[in-house]
Amino acid sequence: MMKGMIVMNRQVQEAVGAVESELISFARDLVRIKSRTGREADLVARIRREMEKLAYDEVIVDKVGNIIGVIGNGPVHLLYDSHMDHVAVNDAEEWVHGPYSGDIEDGKLYGRGASDMKGSLAATVYAGHIMKKLGLAAGKTIYICCTVMEEDFDGAGLHRALVDNGLKPDYVVICEPSHLNIAVGHLGRAIYKINVKGVSAHGAAPEKGDNAVYKAAAIIGRIEELGRKYMAMPPERPSIALTKIESVSASLNAVPGSCTLYVDRRICPHETEEAVGAEITALIGDVDADWEIHDAVGQSYTGEEIVLHSYLPGWEIGHEHPLAQGCFAAYREVFGGEPRPYKWNFSTNGVASAKLGIPTIGFGAGVEKTAHMANEYCPVEDIVQACRFFALLPQKL
Ligand SMILES: [Zn+2]
């Protein structure tokens, strides 16, 4: 048994080694192609070319523009998810290597999206190829899913990939950067919109109105107080923050008749939508206001409307779950040590798969702290090692 496992790992290592330079040049290409949220068409074309070159069994581009490469047709379905979009570059002058250069220096691939998350994406595309070549997908159907619009609509692209295409994976691996560690969950998040009602009046006669912003001040004070209480709690705590205020008045000479507060609420896995909603109601207290969960609306590059209902529950997977155990086994084999599972401190597409009740876990190439920052990079070695891990995992499930 032990001997067989070692041979298998060595085979994977050799197979990845044989395509390493192609894998890295593919990752560099991905970094060089801009793919802001909702503008991923060029990247999709490049990924399709690579999947076809690598003889994927099937390549699907769906209604919203997700591209899904399929390997195998076995009964156990495993989906690897990487989002294709990246955040903007607003600080190009701070980049030592151009943000779309794809330069490699000291073993680091530089560029916007290198860690978040084109390095991992490239690794999954090549892992699919290795699985096919070595027969590692026997008894499995593998989906290499590259999704649109994660940065502004977390979960919406993957949700559409699953629902529109009728995919029912048994397991989902979110390949966001984890620097080759296993991520077993993260907090959820929600955006609440609190609408405060007032009465507009001429600024010269404010007594005839009821200033909605003054009324909102009481709610703002309570949000701040609750935020401080959460900040004082130990890690894996919820948080609440006021993130934006809007008010409506006829002119700068008019008392505002309404005011909207936007509140970012991070949610622990044990918290329910009802309980968090009750908390928002309590923050409003006796102020004349109501609340709703914010719906973010966008358009995919294919012209499809994407709606993100901004209540995204947190998720976590137990260490005893077969998916976690499979990942731990693959980890030991690839890295020769014990995994140290942890939780991500950011939201991912995992909110979509977890909400659908699909066992979900995280593993990826790249350094999460460089994501969304100037001089973002991904260690080249991470991409190679992640490819080995991804290729080996199906055998452990
Ligand atoms: Zn990401």
Side-chain angles (χ1 to χ4, degrees):
M1 179 72 181
M2 202 58 206
K3 196 166 174 230
M5 279 163 58
I6 289 163
V7 170
M8 194 52 83
N9 184 30
R10 190 176 306 144
Q11 283 174 335
V12 170
Q13 208 173 337
E14 279 167 15
V16 174
V19 294
E20 189 176 320
S21 62
E22 280 172 75
L23 162 61
I24 300 308
S25 81
F26 177 50
R28 297 179 81 172
D29 269 11
L30 297 182
V31 170
R32 287 170 180 150
I33 298 168
K34 291 181 190 171
S35 54
R36 278 300 311 281
T37 307
R39 285 176 257 164
E40 299 93 344
D42 293 345
L43 200 75
V44 169
R46 181 66 189 86
I47 294 167
R48 181 198 273 274
R49 239 173 47 225
E50 203 74 6
M51 285 178 168
E52 284 170 358
K53 181 185 103 178
L54 297 172
Y56 268 64
D57 294 336
E58 198 185 347
V59 178
I60 303 158
V61 177
D62 68 14
K63 226 196 271 181
V64 301
N66 299 308
I67 176 165
I68 305 162
V70 187
I71 299 286
N73 57 6
V76 176
H77 293 206
L78 167 61
L79 183 144
Y80 294 89
D81 176 73
S82 303
H83 65 79
M84 296 183 283
D85 59 322
H86 57 75
V87 295
V89 175
N90 299 319
D91 49 8
E93 66 289 345
E94 287 176 37
W95 289 68
V96 177
H97 300 272
Y100 304 102
S101 65
D103 285 350
I104 292 179
E105 192 181 293
D106 294 334
K108 292 170 180 164
L109 167 61
Y110 283 93
R112 173 55 81 231
S115 264
D116 186 18
M117 51 183 292
K118 294 175 171 182
S120 265
L121 194 160
T124 62
V125 170
Y126 271 77
H129 164 70
I130 304 285
M131 288 175 214
K132 184 169 180 179
K133 196 167 155 189
L134 299 181
L136 296 168
K140 308 281 190 313
T141 302
I142 309 292
Y143 301 107
I144 304 300
C145 184
C146 310
T147 43
V148 295
M149 302 179 78
E150 188 273 345
E151 291 293 355
D152 296 340
F153 300 87
D154 23 347
L158 178 59
H159 180 83
R160 293 292 296 267
L162 295 168
V163 173
D164 290 2
N165 302 303
L167 305 184
K168 292 188 172 63
D170 299 283
Y171 306 111
V172 166
V173 181
I174 302 293
C175 309
E176 291 270 8
S178 71
H179 207 7
L180 307 176
N181 288 304
I182 293 164
V184 290
H186 59 68
L187 295 183
R189 70 174 190 92
I191 303 286
Y192 288 90
K193 248 173 104 173
I194 300 175
N195 306 302
V196 182
K197 290 156 212 157
V199 178
S200 186
H202 196 288
E207 70 282 0
K208 292 194 173 136
D210 189 7
N211 194 316
V213 174
Y214 294 168
K215 294 168 82 176
I219 302 174
I220 293 170
R222 288 193 280 270
I223 295 170
E224 188 181 0
E225 196 182 323
L226 181 61
R228 285 188 200 288
K229 194 181 118 194
Y230 285 148
M231 280 182 237
M233 286 166 63
E236 292 186 35
R237 56 178 166 72
S239 67
I240 190 165
L242 175 72
T243 54
K244 188 176 178 176
I245 303 177
E246 283 168 353
S247 64
V248 179
S249 47
S251 75
L252 293 182
N253 301 320
V255 169
S258 71
C259 175
T260 304
L261 308 178
Y262 291 85
V263 175
D264 177 298
R265 176 68 160 75
R266 301 289 153 154
I267 302 155
C268 291
H270 64 268
E271 294 187 287
T272 64
E273 190 167 343
E274 291 67 35
V276 183
E279 178 187 279
I280 303 296
T281 302
L283 289 170
I284 289 172
D286 57 4
V287 177
D288 185 12
D290 56 29
W291 61 262
E292 61 190 301
I293 293 167
H294 177 57
D295 280 330
V297 181
Q299 199 180 47
S300 76
Y301 74 87
T302 60
E304 274 286 301
E305 188 177 80
I306 289 266
V307 180
L308 176 69
H309 184 62
S310 304
Y311 186 92
L312 309 164
W315 58 273
E316 60 186 329
I317 188 164
H319 293 195
E320 298 313 312
H321 191 280
L323 176 59
Q325 287 293 314
C327 285
F328 296 167
Y331 184 96
R332 287 186 198 103
E333 216 166 306
V334 171
F335 303 107
E338 267 307 299
R340 289 193 304 274
Y342 76 121
K343 288 190 181 148
W344 274 320
N345 64 1
F346 50 87
S347 181
T348 73
N349 272 344
V351 295
S353 48
K355 203 170 183 173
L356 290 168
I358 304 168
T360 298
I361 205 161
F363 179 92
V367 189
E368 53 208 79
K369 69 170 193 287
T370 82
H372 301 202
M373 306 275 288
N375 302 306
E376 178 178 350
Y377 68 84
C378 180
V380 170
E381 190 57 20
D382 271 30
I383 301 172
V384 175
Q385 303 276 29
C387 184
R388 289 172 55 196
F389 176 92
F390 292 140
L392 204 59
L393 179 61
Q395 292 262 297
K396 308 296 175 196
L397 297 172

